[in-house]
DNA sequence: CGCGACATGTAAGCAGTTACATGATTAT
DNA sequence: ATAATCATGTAACTGCTTACATGTCGCG
């Protein structure tokens, strides 16, 4: 489906940046729903260059360090917008190793389950706390056409997802404790 | 991480079955959190056989059709239980193409967004309806050690996840309509 | 007799991770 | 100086999907 292609085009459509910068974007809030390592980004940039969807210019940083500042082309913009507005069927639900393990958890004694669940709960509470802190940047919802509206959206989605994961864990913990 | 390995061992730990049966399990409720196609299952079974974690006996179905009924070995059970009780860090949040697209949705006019969101909403409502129907099988929570407790757990998790996805979509739709 | 489900495999290719590899810049 | 970060790339491998390939069974 070439999703990474469109993730990169989308970022370059916002503003020109280097491959390294793209990697950093994926470690911010966007990374809650899409990401890639530099080892995947650089080859993809080369491919997009070959396809004429992006171009770059060399920038000198310091004395000699050459970095490639990539920009989206008109052709790239067309391709990106085409992808963005296409209606697609929903994807199969994503894989989740912990829930797979809990599917088989009747093989564990209750004390072990409580330990695993507690460990999981703590980590999700941490992630939620971190997301809520990021959301503090916004004291109101950004306008629909602003650059950081997307950022607000994914933050909100991630917070809802963590909240309900925690609820599921707590339900299971309560049920274990009642036995 | 060899997760498929443990998904298969877990199923065979419940009861002996063929590769085909394993594929069918992945299309039931467990498939909400883990699945694999037959093209991945058969090679993995061969590998588990080589590792001595499972064995099979030939069963004749009808006149001539030979099918392989796989069972878990003692060694396989040990390996599986080891995996099951291990404490693991939570995984990075799963990728989601639609949310990636919505991250960039400030590039779309509001009418197009509402169409995409509505389309997505309908499909998630369908999935939720289907999940709720499956849950009707249970008029109460199965006991913690019963065979179908895991099934109930993943169903419950999937329902919560769909519910909150729908809530997120509806929030966005409302915000669009207010403009 | 024909169709859908049952049953088992392999091959090619795409997506993604980990590791290998190198070097410059900036802040302490 | 030295460590953290900036910056760019390749190689090997794992996981997963799509397509290729074959044949049987049970039902109507």
């Amino acid at each position: 489906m070439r999703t990474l292609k469109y993730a990169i085009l989308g970022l370059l459509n916002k503003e020109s940046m280097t491959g390294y910068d793209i990697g950093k974007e994926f470690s911010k809030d966007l990374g809650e729903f899409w990401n890639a390592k530099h080892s995947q980004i650089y080859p993809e940039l080369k491919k997009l260059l070959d396809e004429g969807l992006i171009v770059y210019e060399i920038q000198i940083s310091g004395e000699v360090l050459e970095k490639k500042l990539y920009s989206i082309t008109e052709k790239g913009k067309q391709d990106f917008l085409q992808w963005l507005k296409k209606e697609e069927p929903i994807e199969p639900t994503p894989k989740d190793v912990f829930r797979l393990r809990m599917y088989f958890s009747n093989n564990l004694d209750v004390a072990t389950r409580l330990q695993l669940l507690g460990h999981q709960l703590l980590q999700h509470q941490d992630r939620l706390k971190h997301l809520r802190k990021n959301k503090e940047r916004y004291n109101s919802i950004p306008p629909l056409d602003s650059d950081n509206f997307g950022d607000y959206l994914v933050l909100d989605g991630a917070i809802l997802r963590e909240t309900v994961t925690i609820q599921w864990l707590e339900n299971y913990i309560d049920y274990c404790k009642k036995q």
Side-chain angles (χ1 to χ4, degrees), chain A:
Chain A
M1 301 208 318
R2 303 282 313 269
T3 309
L4 177 59
K5 164 184 168 177
Y6 294 106
I8 291 175
L9 287 180
L11 288 171
L12 293 179
N13 187 51
K14 277 192 173 176
E15 60 176 318
S16 297
M17 56 180 96
T18 66
Y20 187 84
D21 293 331
I22 291 168
K24 278 214 304 188
E25 287 301 316
F26 287 139
S27 69
K28 294 183 192 170
D29 294 325
L30 170 57
E32 291 296 323
F33 296 109
W34 206 267
N35 66 77
K37 322 263 167 166
H38 74 278
S39 55
Q40 206 186 354
I41 294 168
Y42 291 119
E44 188 64 38
L45 283 168
K46 193 177 261 179
K47 209 169 175 182
L48 296 178
L49 199 67
D50 290 344
E51 294 169 330
L53 305 174
I54 60 176
V55 290
Y56 71 84
E57 51 174 314
I58 298 284
Q59 293 234 312
I60 304 294
S61 170
E63 292 289 294
V64 289
L65 180 61
E66 295 188 351
K67 53 181 188 178
K68 296 177 178 176
L69 191 69
Y70 286 94
S71 309
I72 195 166
T73 62
E74 195 48 47
K75 192 179 166 194
K77 260 178 216 189
Q78 295 310 316
D79 196 345
F80 171 67
L81 288 173
Q82 202 66 24
W83 170 79
L84 192 57
K85 70 182 187 215
K86 219 174 16 182
E87 261 183 26
E88 298 279 11
I90 55 173
E91 292 167 86
T93 54
K95 295 184 176 186
D96 186 321
V97 184
F98 186 75
R99 298 201 199 211
L100 173 68
R101 299 201 314 156
M102 290 308 100
Y103 179 77
F104 296 123
S105 61
N106 60 315
N107 294 287
L108 295 173
D109 58 67
V110 175
T112 308
R113 295 191 217 190
L114 281 170
Q115 177 160 0
L116 290 175
L117 290 163
H119 184 238
Q120 200 76 3
L121 180 61
L122 270 172
Q123 291 177 84
H124 281 287
Q125 282 167 339
D126 269 5
R127 189 183 274 171
L128 178 57
K129 200 173 151 188
H130 169 257
L131 290 167
R132 285 214 171 111
K133 202 175 169 187
N134 285 2
K135 204 182 170 184
E136 277 172 22
R137 285 200 301 273
Y138 305 99
N139 27 30
S140 66
I141 309 182
L144 279 168
D145 292 310
S146 65
D147 251 8
N148 50 13
F149 175 72
D151 199 56
Y152 178 87
L153 251 195
V154 300
L155 256 179
D156 199 51
I159 286 170
L160 284 170
R161 189 175 56 186
E162 288 304 319
T163 305
V164 84
T165 299
I166 287 167
Q167 191 188 321
W168 179 76
L169 289 168
E170 285 175 342
N171 283 350
Y172 189 5
I173 288 170
D174 286 349
Y175 189 57
C176 282
K177 284 187 175 163
K178 269 182 203 142
Q179 303 294 304

